[in-house]
Amino acid sequence: SYQFSSPTAITFDQFGNMFIMDAGNNRIQKWIPGSTYGITVASASMSNPRGFSFDTYGNLIVADLSNHRIIGF
């Protein structure tokens, strides 16, 4: 869970957790402050994810490039 393949984006939530889009592994990893490994929080059949953000409700919104769609988690 700490090996990346083509990380393409990074953001933080309001609690200081770091989220990294690991495009080569088609997943998003969550890193809690002070942790030494990440937790996979999204990997739902994504293909070439390119960008992500949180909406005003705290949902994770992902741009899934190769599948031509936007996914909400």
Side-chain angles (χ1 to χ4, degrees):
S1 63
Y2 52 86
Q3 296 286 325
F4 295 113
S5 176
S6 300
T8 58
I10 185 171
T11 193
F12 292 86
D13 67 9
Q14 68 270 27
F15 305 108
N17 298 310
M18 179 174 58
F19 292 81
I20 299 173
M21 177 167 284
D22 187 9
N25 288 317
N26 295 314
R27 66 182 180 179
I28 296 174
Q29 294 284 103
K30 175 182 176 180
W31 293 70
I32 298 169
S35 67
T36 57
Y37 61 91
I39 301 164
T40 301
V41 295
S43 66
S45 302
M46 291 185 289
S47 180
N48 202 10
R50 285 294 157 198
F52 69 114
S53 183
F54 290 98
D55 67 10
T56 56
Y57 300 104
N59 299 309
L60 184 62
I61 308 300
V62 180
D64 187 9
L65 182 68
S66 293
N67 286 323
H68 308 287
R69 64 183 179 170
I70 303 295
I71 308 170
F73 296 96

